[in-house]
Amino acid sequence: MGDRKLVFILLFCLANFALVALGFAVYHVGNIALSFWSIVIYPIALLIIYVCMVDPMQREFKLSGRKIILLASSAFLISVLATYSIWTIVTPNWSFKVMTDKTNYRLGEIVEITVVLENCGFITHSFVSLVSNPIIVSVRYVYPENPTVRVQVWYTPFHISKTKFTLAPHQSLEKKFFWNQTNIYNPEDKIEAGTYLIEALVPSAESDIVGADNLFYAWTMINITET
């Protein structure tokens, strides 16, 4: 009798643990289809738990409703802490940023651009870039009359080749680029003084078009003056 009671209690706790873990996963994945099915599955699962475990524990083992609620609450708390801890450990946590050595330049100065991608997670993570570098940097002139209008004047060369990159915990991938303030489309023409948008991106291998779908994206602004 004691062994059977223990088995029922363990199964009850495991069932509650599984339900909470599933709910946590569905919430963080954010899949609409999964969310819909979870609405259907949860009531059915709760009914099964009640019929197969709660009712026998009350009738056969004389467990009060208070003790059953305490068991369910304990299983809920443990499952939340365990699931959150596991999720935190296995979920990728990236830092991606682009920086320049200065924010203000004179016409003709070299602009040094540094891009850093860091794995801030607890385990090794990988990603697949559409290009082999795997980072592309773009420079766009921002029209003063309408800052939403931006025209590309320079970008880093790239080779389309789906390439996998792996970074250990707290390992960084750092790339430096140098823009000599030339217009890549018209090398003979001088660029204008003004504001420029520096963009850095890692294009996803899921897309065949550079910039259409990015794994990582960052930007910063610089000013170029005549004097």
Side-chain angles (χ1 to χ4, degrees):
M1 184 72 171
D3 291 342
R4 191 162 179 266
K5 179 180 178 181
L6 181 61
V7 169
F8 265 84
I9 291 174
L10 288 174
L11 287 175
F12 177 71
C13 292
L14 285 173
N16 280 276
F17 184 96
L19 278 178
V20 174
L22 177 62
F24 189 90
V26 169
Y27 172 78
H28 282 275
V29 170
N31 187 293
I32 296 177
L34 285 177
S35 300
F36 171 77
W37 282 109
S38 65
I39 295 173
V40 177
I41 292 171
Y42 258 74
I44 296 174
L46 289 173
L47 180 62
I48 292 173
I49 289 174
Y50 178 82
V51 173
C52 298
M53 298 176 193
V54 176
D55 191 50
M57 285 193 295
Q58 287 179 319
R59 286 187 295 100
E60 296 182 38
F61 310 131
K62 307 304 180 185
L63 283 181
S64 64
R66 185 176 181 180
K67 288 183 179 180
I68 292 174
I69 292 173
L70 181 62
L71 283 172
S73 301
S74 301
F76 175 83
L77 180 62
I78 293 171
S79 60
V80 168
L81 292 175
T83 307
Y84 180 77
S85 299
I86 294 171
W87 190 271
T88 301
I89 292 171
V90 302
T91 301
N93 182 14
W94 301 98
S95 170
F96 186 64
K97 53 189 176 181
V98 57
M99 303 162 286
T100 54
D101 56 328
K102 297 190 296 182
T103 55
N104 295 291
Y105 297 84
R106 295 189 303 273
L107 279 173
E109 276 191 288
I110 300 293
V111 179
E112 181 181 314
I113 305 167
T114 304
V115 183
V116 180
L117 173 64
E118 181 183 1
N119 177 6
C120 301
F122 294 95
I123 62 175
T124 299
H125 290 291
S126 301
F127 65 93
V128 181
S129 174
L130 179 62
V131 298
S132 57
N133 193 35
I135 298 166
I136 297 175
V137 169
S138 171
V139 179
R140 298 179 185 272
Y141 174 69
V142 180
Y143 277 88
E145 300 84 5
N146 185 357
T148 61
V149 179
R150 299 156 183 182
V151 178
Q152 188 179 58
V153 297
W154 185 81
Y155 62 88
T156 53
F158 58 85
H159 174 63
I160 294 182
S161 175
K162 296 180 181 180
T163 309
K164 183 178 181 179
F165 296 86
T166 301
L167 294 180
H170 304 293
Q171 181 183 0
S172 297
L173 174 65
E174 181 175 317
K175 298 281 186 179
K176 284 189 178 292
F177 306 91
F178 299 90
W179 177 42
N180 59 1
Q181 293 194 23
T182 56
N183 188 322
I184 198 169
Y185 300 102
N186 298 293
E188 305 82 17
D189 296 344
K190 293 183 178 179
I191 67 164
E192 299 181 48
T195 301
Y196 286 82
L197 172 68
I198 313 291
E199 298 175 297
L201 56 96
V202 177
S204 171
E206 297 298 321
S207 174
D208 294 327
I209 302 174
V210 172
D213 182 17
N214 299 320
L215 293 172
F216 307 102
Y217 175 85
W219 62 273
T220 188
M221 293 279 197
I222 63 170
N223 291 308
I224 298 178
T225 59
E226 295 183 355
T227 57

